[in-house]
Structure formats: C-alpha cells, structure tokens
Amino acid sequence: MTALLPALLGAMILAGLVGAAYALRPRVPAPKVERVPSSLERRLSGMSPRSRIVLLVSVVAGFLVALLTGWIAAVVILPTAALGLPYLLSAPPAEARIRRVEAMEEWTRSLAGVLGAGVGIEQALTATLRSTPDAIKPEVTTLVARLRARWDTEVALRAFADDLDDVTGDLVAANLILAARRRNRSLASALQGVAESVAEDVAARRRVEAGRAKPRGSARLVTAFSLGVLLILAFTGDYVEPYSSPVGQVVLVFLLMAYAAGLLWMRKMAEGKPLPRFLGPTARAGAR
C-alpha cells in the first residue's frame, strides 16, 4: 500500500501535466461546413408568409380529417387544393403586361411632344422622367442615370430595351437608336406613329384578355359547384362511400389530379406566348 501511493500520485501528476500541455497548445479553428438546404427548404423559404400560414392550416386540417374520418388522402388533398386552386383559377399576369405596354404608349407620346420642341434626344429623355408612368418608371430612371453617367446613347438605349424586355420596348428603342445615329429631326412624328400603333396593340390585347376571362369565370363556377356538391354528399349521402377504402382514396387522388391537370392546361392556353424580340442578346443569338 505504501509503494502504491507514490505511484498513484506520480500518475496523477503526469496526467495533470499532459492535460495542461493539451489545454495550452494553439488551436486551429475547424473549417465551417456550410449546410446545403434541401429542395423542400428552398421552396418553403421562397413562399410568402401568407402561403406558409395557408399551408400550415391546411396540413393541420388534413391530419384532423384523417384522424376523425379515416380519409388518409385528406393529408395530401387539402394542402394541395389550398395552395393550387388559387393559382389555377386566378388570372394570368396579362393585365400587368398590358399596363406596361400602355405605359410605353403614354411615355412615347410624351417623348414625342418634348422632341417636337426642338430639344435633343438626351435632353428629351431626361425631361420625360417626371411624367413617366409608374409601370415603366424604374426602367426610364435607369436609362436617364446611364445617360447622366456619360454612357453612349445607343448603348444606353439598347440596355433600356433589355430592361423593358418587350417587343414594344424594342420598337420604341429602335426608333430612338436610329434617331441617335442620324440626329433625325423627324423623330417626333415617327414616335407619334409608334404610339398610335402601340395604342392599337393595347386595345387588341384588352379584347383578347376579355375573351379569355369568360372561360376562367366558367371554370371557377364549375369548380366551386363541384366542391360544394362533394362536401354535401360526403356528409349526407353514400355517394363517396366507395372512395373511403384505401384503393378508393388512391382513385380519388388520381381523379382530382386529372381535374387539376385540366385547369392547368386551360391556364397555359390562356397565357399566350409573347412576341419574339428583335433587339438584345436573345435576338442576336437567334439570328446566328
């Protein structure tokens, strides 16, 4: 026992020295490994707060329906319907595009009026900034800022056409580019003609959009009526009894997917395709 005590104390002292040396040695920080978010996390982060609330409420409602009724398919159907139906039954963003084209027509008329007073193109573009419609004001503001930064006028106008990203913007920018090259005094009358053709284009687009709104209204009415009938029959009749089995729920999911695919197809048909541009890198790549 007397010989064991010095050995134990020596081992403890040695362990203390090793521990002190380990604690005092310089530490190299470990490299930070950035965690790559999953596709689901990226989609959730890209959703608006309202959409997240709708998704959460619909998922909770789906689980409650599944627990109370045994319809497991409600966990999938309710969140999908809550997020998908507003998109499928809403109007495509054609109205915003029409407002932008209408703003281009108004701005072109204003620019033609200023050029008629005999000022240069650069001065006219700067003078129209205050009266520019809100739909295209960021693009015109950027154009004026480039001109004030001593950009070449043609380069600035080509960048302006790329910012507008519309065939009507290409038409206006092309006339301005030609006038900047030749310093043509007849630009005001040319822009008046462009504004008149753009006004006709706006009227035609509005007529087309009014015609497309009718089938969208019919689809909303049919969808609302179908959902109402299904809810009534689910609580009052035996019509949906065959769908309560596992196989029936799978069939129900496929039928609803087919109906949603029909709504998506109708929406894609109503969106239409924009006319191809003739200015910008995309048009130059297509011409090669």
Side-chain angles (χ1 to χ4, degrees):
M1 187 69 180
T2 306
L4 182 62
L5 184 59
L8 182 60
L9 292 175
M12 293 177 64
I13 292 173
L14 181 61
L17 293 174
V18 172
Y22 179 78
L24 293 175
R25 73 184 181 89
R27 295 185 178 182
V28 178
K32 295 182 75 175
V33 179
E34 294 187 1
R35 179 174 168 273
V36 179
S38 62
S39 59
L40 178 60
E41 290 175 340
R42 288 195 296 268
R43 291 181 182 180
L44 290 176
S45 61
M47 295 173 63
S48 64
R50 180 178 176 276
S51 299
R52 294 180 186 176
I53 294 174
V54 171
L55 178 61
L56 178 61
V57 172
S58 59
V59 168
V60 173
F63 275 106
L64 288 177
V65 172
L67 290 174
L68 295 176
T69 64
W71 283 68
I72 308 299
V75 179
V76 178
I77 294 174
L78 289 183
T80 305
L83 293 178
L85 283 180
Y87 168 76
L88 294 175
L89 297 177
S90 63
E95 183 62 30
R97 290 196 294 266
I98 292 175
R99 283 198 299 269
R100 279 176 61 84
V101 175
E102 202 169 24
M104 293 179 205
E105 180 258 336
E106 181 181 344
W107 179 73
T108 304
R109 288 188 186 277
S110 174
L111 183 60
V114 175
L115 286 169
V119 299
I121 297 176
E122 294 80 5
Q123 292 79 11
L125 291 170
T126 304
T128 58
L129 180 58
R130 293 184 179 180
S131 60
T132 301
D134 293 335
I136 61 170
K137 192 156 191 174
E139 290 83 1
V140 178
T141 302
T142 304
L143 171 62
V144 173
R146 286 166 177 160
L147 292 175
R148 287 174 176 171
R150 303 300 182 184
W151 278 42
D152 181 72
T153 303
E154 181 174 344
V155 175
L157 289 172
R158 287 185 179 275
F160 173 63
D162 290 336
D163 292 339
L164 292 176
D165 194 21
D166 190 274
V167 65
T168 302
D170 285 357
L171 180 62
V172 176
N175 281 274
L176 293 173
I177 289 171
L178 290 176
R181 288 178 180 176
R182 303 173 183 176
R183 297 296 167 178
N184 195 348
R185 294 293 181 181
S186 62
L187 177 60
S189 59
L191 287 179
Q192 286 287 357
V194 171
E196 291 174 3
S197 64
V198 173
E200 294 175 358
D201 181 36
V202 170
R205 293 193 188 194
R206 290 199 179 279
R207 287 194 297 268
V208 171
E209 187 59 25
R212 289 173 176 172
K214 296 178 181 178
R216 283 199 300 268
S218 301
R220 293 191 191 100
L221 182 62
V222 170
T223 302
F225 181 77
S226 301
L227 290 176
V229 170
L230 286 175
L231 288 175
I232 293 172
L233 292 176
F235 292 101
T236 61
D238 299 331
Y239 180 79
V240 295
E241 185 66 25
Y243 296 107
S244 60
S245 64
V247 177
Q249 292 185 40
V250 173
V251 172
L252 177 62
V253 170
F254 274 104
L255 291 176
L256 293 177
M257 287 174 59
Y259 187 82
L263 292 178
L264 181 61
W265 177 59
M266 187 186 70
R267 178 183 173 87
K268 292 298 182 182
M269 289 180 60
E271 283 182 357
K273 294 182 179 180
L275 294 174
R277 294 180 54 202
F278 57 89
L279 287 179
T282 304
R284 288 195 295 269
R288 292 174 182 173

